[in-house]
Amino acid sequence: MPELSRTVIESSIEQAIDAFQHFRLALPDWAYWSKEDWKNRASDQAFDEIRDCMLGWDVTDFGSKHFNEIGRVLFTLRNGTTKKLGYEKVYSQKYLFDPELQRAPAHFHQAKMEDICCLAGGNICVQLRGVNPDNTPSDKPLTVKVDGVARIIEAGEIIRLKPGMSVCIMPRTIHQFWGEEGTGLTVSSEVSSVCDDWHDNFFLEPAERFPQIEEDTIATRYLCHEYPANKC
């Protein structure tokens, strides 16, 4: 099975742009910059926060080699960093392109709290489960807040979010979410504390947060972990 190809990455970004535009979700100007645009700014410190905090396009199959089933297309609009680089943001926001049934592997975070918000289109299904002290999945019921209202659910229960709804996912809560089958294309948002994708993802099965890429075509854009370093 091949690695995630650059062709699929490029195509997925274009599909996400079309979906965001369809639902009138605007992106910053630099979302459309080419690799050449970024190279021309490689020595400009004004853009360091974008590079250092990994803003921008994020396409991954988590090493699954089955992107349509286990994969994600995200755009990080804003984020802080756990590194001591002088950035003061303590929050993060992402847009997610949600084809029906595509999802990330089941995982939890030690530090990050997040709200998953269904913005437009179809429904989002969110499956939640607690974590035992030894980091194994828990079978105990858990309390979650949907649109700010507390709800007790069984371990592994699926919460359906219609557009306008959101669920708060606390640290150490195993979660997966996906566009519900039969409800059409969906766009969601993740609003969270600082997102540290290098160190704060704990997967139940072996997974890689950032993909190995098959360079079968020339990349026109950088992903969020590929920006050229500031040359100053």
Side-chain angles (χ1 to χ4, degrees), residues 115-159:
D115 277 19
I116 300 302
C117 315
C118 184
L119 295 183
N123 300 332
I124 295 292
C125 294
V126 185
Q127 187 172 40
L128 303 173
R129 185 182 294 269
V131 180
N132 292 316
D134 63 356
N135 291 339
T136 58
S138 171
D139 292 327
K140 296 179 180 179
L142 64 159
T143 300
V144 299
K145 289 190 176 181
V146 178
D147 295 334
V149 179
R151 179 189 300 186
I152 298 175
I153 65 171
E154 297 298 320
E157 186 173 333
I158 295 173
I159 296 171

Side-chain angles (χ1 to χ4, degrees), residues 8-17 57 59 73 221 223:
V8 169
I9 291 171
E10 295 276 321
S11 173
S12 296
I13 291 173
E14 292 300 325
Q15 291 175 51
I17 289 173
W57 292 107
V59 183
V73 181
R221 294 184 177 90
L223 297 180

